[in-house]
Amino acid sequence: MTRPDDVTPLPLAETARLLVLTGAGISAESGLATFRGGGGLWEAEPVEEVATPAAFARDPARVWRFYSQRRAAANAVRPNAAHFALAEAERRMGERFLLVTQNVDGLHAAAGSERLVELHGSLWRARCSRCGRPPFPDRRYPVEPPLPSCDRCAADGRGVAYLRPAVVWFGEPLDAGDQYRVTGFLSRGRLEHAPLLFLAVGTSGTVYPAAAYVRYAAELGATTWLANLERPDNAWAFDHVVEGAATQVVPRLLGLDGF
Ligand code: BV8
């Protein structure tokens, strides 16, 4: 276990490819609650009550109150030094860099990241709970009926279909295209015989399939790092574990301390 002051930069050789996976911990120093641990989101609202399709079918207003609270919280904060360092690393590495986030708060995009996969969707998009229309930008804060509904379903005479946050709930599949971007990036590294590095930041490694990416990367020959405030249950899966706050550790790992 490495301490923040002992952090040495990742060995980012000219041809190295870097995939970074982030979780709620990278947004903690911006002021957003994480999911697990003291004061976590899921303590206040049990997952099965607010982040499953059944919960939405049972009580859509309650689910919208939960997500409207999260939109309000995310709207009130800004990216931190760890978000900005990752955006700078992308600018320097280009297509040899890919950022994959489990977060739905929009802070990576706000920091300038573009080579970004929002694996679990985004707070800032909505979609219809019935028809297959693509997700679209939405910044409203519904908290009680009448809840926002799909104008296309109404126009097609299919009655009221509620809109829902365009996030991936438990029991829902991740977007196949997003998953392919992750596996394609990692396997291309092997084809090019380029050094492959995998860095996870601020995640407890409890939610799948994201929690399994470190093992997939290792099977492809990647060297793996975890930067986390505390040692999570899946720390054993990483070659290197750096214990510390993301704003202290991430810039140093990327060789961007004080950039
Ligand atoms: C699916 C979106 C299949 C909404 C979320 C095995 C294989 C496949 C699936 C499963 C499996 N086992 C179980 C499953 C089912 C399930 C699952 O993984 N359950 C878990 C609980 C066991 N997975 C699914 O349901 C997935 N779907 O598999 O579908 C399928 C296939 C075909 C057809 C039908 C179905 C969908 C999972 C996505 C769920 N949606 N979020 C929303 O955000 O509201 S998950 C939710 O958890 C968030 O996205 C969050 O990001 C994510 C993971 O949590 P973390 O980010 O890690 O956050 P956490 O609080 O846990 O940890 C934060 C860490 O940061 C801590 O360790 C802390 O120490 C650290 N930290 C704190 N401060 C700092 C810090 N670190 C650094 N600096 C700091 N300052």
Side-chain angles (χ1 to χ4, degrees):
M1 174 85 75
T2 307
R3 308 290 305 167
D5 293 342
D6 307 329
V7 172
T8 53
L10 298 177
L12 289 173
E14 281 300 306
T15 59
R17 296 172 71 84
L18 172 61
L19 186 145
V20 180
L21 171 70
T22 63
I26 199 168
S27 298
E29 290 163 273
S30 290
L32 294 184
T34 60
F35 288 85
R36 297 161 187 88
L41 278 166
W42 299 141
E43 282 178 4
E45 294 276 8
V47 166
E48 54 280 349
E49 297 300 318
V50 288
T52 66
F56 189 76
R58 183 169 54 247
D59 190 348
R62 176 173 186 180
V63 173
W64 264 118
R65 281 196 296 278
F66 174 65
Y67 282 95
S68 291
Q69 286 165 4
R70 292 189 51 208
R71 281 183 171 176
N75 192 52
V77 301
R78 293 291 168 261
N80 61 49
H83 295 107
F84 287 117
L86 289 169
E88 177 61 20
E90 172 188 321
R91 278 188 285 275
R92 297 185 185 195
M93 297 182 72
E95 64 85 28
R96 294 184 293 112
F97 178 92
L98 185 64
L99 176 56
V100 181
T101 188
Q102 301 171 89
N103 301 340
V104 296
D105 56 33
L107 290 180
H108 283 304
S113 289
E114 295 177 358
R115 288 181 58 79
L116 170 63
V117 179
E118 292 181 312
L119 213 49
H120 294 161
S122 171
L123 280 175
W124 303 114
R125 292 191 292 275
R127 67 179 175 86
C128 177
S129 59
R130 180 192 296 157
C131 74
R133 67 188 288 186
F136 52 89
D138 180 59
R139 300 188 73 88
R140 290 171 290 186
Y141 298 89
V143 290
E144 58 192 13
L147 297 175
S149 58
C150 178
D151 54 355
R152 293 191 189 178
C153 284
D156 294 347
R158 288 182 292 193
V160 173
Y162 290 131
L163 298 182
R164 53 165 282 182
V167 299
V168 180
W169 282 329
F170 289 96
E172 294 186 317
L174 275 61
D175 176 87
D178 286 344
Q179 293 197 84
Y180 178 72
R181 281 188 71 189
V182 177
T183 55
F185 179 87
L186 290 170
S187 45
R188 213 168 16 256
R190 176 141 92 170
L191 288 176
E192 293 172 4
H193 302 294
L196 184 58
L197 290 80
F198 179 98
L199 168 64
V201 182
T203 180
S204 62
T206 47
V207 174
Y208 289 81
Y213 285 150
V214 58
R215 288 196 289 282
Y216 181 75
E219 285 164 13
L220 290 171
T223 307
T224 59
W225 280 262
L226 170 67
N228 211 59
L229 193 66
E230 58 205 6
R231 192 177 180 83
D233 294 345
N234 73 330
W236 57 268
F238 292 86
D239 298 312
H240 308 278
V241 178
V242 181
E243 188 175 349
T247 58
Q248 304 302 312
V249 172
V250 172
R252 290 178 182 160
L253 280 172
L254 296 173
L256 294 170
D257 200 11
F259 83 93

